[in-house]
Amino acid sequence: MKASYREMFDEVRAPESLREAVLAATKLEQRPRKRALWLLAAAVLAAALVGAAGADSEGLREPLRGDLPVIPPVTLEEKLGRQWEESGGILDEEQRKVIAQAVQKVQTEDTQDGVTVTVDTVYASEFYLELLLYIRGENLSNSSYLNLESYELSGSVSSAPDREISHIYTGSADLGVLEDGTVVRTLCLGISSKEGLSLLDGAELELGLGRLKTSGDWEWVLPISLAPAADRGALTLEEAAAMGCPSADGGGREAGAITLRDVRVTSTGFQFRSDQGCPGTEVYLCLSNGTKIKHGSTSESGKSGGSCEVEGRWPAPAEFSQIEALRVGDTVIPLRP
């Protein structure tokens, strides 16, 4: 019996002092054995309850999300580096520095109903904000806390403090859970490119989160201050010719040359428009080292066969001085004289 209690207790996470007290109880004399067994069972039960409570006791683990893998600590810089390599880039020391300089430390958090949401770091392109979030708390195993996928980004950019940004939701992904039960999430939010505002100018923002929120106040509210980006250069062309793909929506457009207008390329993304419909092709950033970086995400708006606007972002920031050309489909468009 003593061995079975020891095996059961070995599976319980508890402070060392409690473990020593329980193990000492097994050494009591045979005469008061019933009392010793009662004390042992009560201590094991108490240890199990303390282990389940998790977050408030030092050294104890929160409940793990069973739907996510346990992962080692990860940084936003590492994630952007992987995206850069997966899109065709070379992650050398120079590129690591470019990414590190673009990532900003935030460390703002809010706690509601036993769940703490922390914004750790952010990376801003002109129209997108990518964030690394930590979500922790003893209630994470509750189904109502599994998603937390209602988001709102509000605020203004430093270049136009009196103008409220228009928020666009793009997506989120849970990378996994740390050993202490903390959920690691990446979140990408955007602002409208049509308003002429840029997050690279710096911004005072507020991130609101809720559990499938439909009305009322946001449950978690986290302020985010963005410093102006060090590299805000842009390469522009009034127009350029490119080959477009056949229309996939029944518009009847044949593959052929289309004219791109107001082409604009930065270290973080690109923009152009066309009066002949969207080209419907992949976009690449061509660098002086010979690599071609495939776009991370794009957005197209407009009418089939008519005016269309395309904007997108690179998977990570590039060194501006290395940008040489934009490739749209099979057409390479030089950006420098």
Side-chain angles (χ1 to χ4, degrees):
M1 178 66 71
K2 183 185 298 183
S4 63
Y5 272 108
R6 181 183 294 274
E7 292 170 0
M8 178 173 62
F9 191 66
D10 285 342
E11 298 299 320
V12 176
R13 295 181 176 272
E16 189 61 30
S17 59
L18 178 58
R19 294 176 62 90
E20 292 175 356
V22 173
L23 293 177
T26 63
K27 300 178 181 180
L28 297 178
E29 297 180 358
Q30 290 294 325
R31 178 177 295 176
R33 182 169 180 78
K34 290 184 179 180
R35 179 172 178 270
L37 292 178
W38 179 86
L39 287 172
L40 181 59
V44 170
L45 177 59
L49 292 175
V50 170
D56 295 331
S57 299
E58 185 178 355
L60 299 180
R61 187 160 74 178
E62 298 173 352
L64 293 177
R65 280 268 301 269
D67 58 323
L68 296 174
V70 178
I71 61 172
V74 61
T75 66
L76 187 55
E77 290 97 321
E78 290 171 338
K79 180 178 181 294
L80 292 172
R82 287 197 297 268
Q83 291 175 178
W84 183 260
E85 289 183 303
E86 291 167 357
S87 301
I90 299 173
L91 190 62
D92 54 17
E93 190 60 32
E94 183 177 3
Q95 180 59 34
R96 293 180 191 274
K97 289 181 180 178
V98 172
I99 292 175
Q101 290 172 355
V103 172
Q104 300 187 38
K105 196 76 173 177
V106 176
Q107 282 294 302
T108 180
E109 67 178 35
D110 190 17
T111 301
Q112 298 294 333
D113 197 18
V115 173
T116 298
V117 179
T118 302
V119 179
D120 179 67
T121 44
V122 300
Y123 160 59
S125 59
E126 281 199 291
F127 313 116
Y128 295 93
L129 188 66
E130 191 161 352
L131 309 95
L132 184 69
L133 304 182
Y134 295 139
I135 305 173
R136 65 192 310 268
E138 59 190 75
N139 293 327
L140 290 184
S141 58
N142 188 315
S143 60
S144 66
Y145 285 92
L146 290 180
N147 294 320
L148 298 180
E149 289 189 350
S150 293
Y151 303 105
E152 178 64 47
L153 187 67
S154 59
S156 62
V157 301
S158 300
S159 57
D162 57 336
R163 295 173 57 189
E164 187 77 8
I165 64 171
S166 297
H167 157 260
I168 302 171
Y169 171 70
T170 60
S172 64
D174 288 334
L175 303 182
V177 292
L178 304 180
E179 288 189 352
D180 67 355
T182 299
V183 176
V184 182
R185 173 173 297 179
T186 57
L187 172 64
C188 185
L189 301 171
I191 65 173
S192 174
S193 61
K194 297 180 180 179
E195 298 179 354
L197 302 176
S198 172
L199 293 174
L200 296 180
D201 292 336
E204 293 297 327
L205 307 172
E206 202 169 69
L207 174 65
L209 295 88
R211 289 168 290 180
L212 303 177
K213 176 184 179 294
T214 57
S215 63
D217 296 332
W218 293 98
E219 294 170 271
W220 291 265
V221 179
L222 301 106
I224 299 172
S225 294
L226 293 181
D231 187 354
R232 284 177 278 171
L235 299 172
T236 60
L237 294 173
E238 289 187 5
E239 64 177 51
M243 296 295 292
C245 290
S247 174
D249 58 5
R253 189 191 72 212
E254 298 293 333
I258 62 174
T259 301
L260 307 182
R261 303 187 187 279
D262 301 327
V263 178
R264 188 171 187 273
V265 178
T266 70
S267 62
T268 63
F270 64 93
Q271 285 178 287
F272 57 77
R273 65 181 181 86
S274 169
D275 296 330
Q276 302 150 289
C278 297
T281 57
E282 294 176 339
V283 180
Y284 293 81
L285 181 67
C286 303
L287 302 180
S288 57
N289 63 6
T291 59
K292 296 177 176 60
I293 314 301
K294 184 180 177 181
H295 64 78
S297 63
T298 61
S299 173
E300 299 181 352
S301 61
K303 298 180 180 179
S304 174
S307 178
C308 177
E309 296 181 356
V310 180
E311 59 93 5
R313 62 189 177 111
W314 309 124
E319 171 57 51
F320 183 75
S321 63
Q322 292 187 7
I323 298 176
E324 288 193 339
L326 186 72
R327 176 178 149 186
V328 181
D330 293 329
T331 305
V332 176
I333 303 171
L335 296 170
R336 298 182 185 272

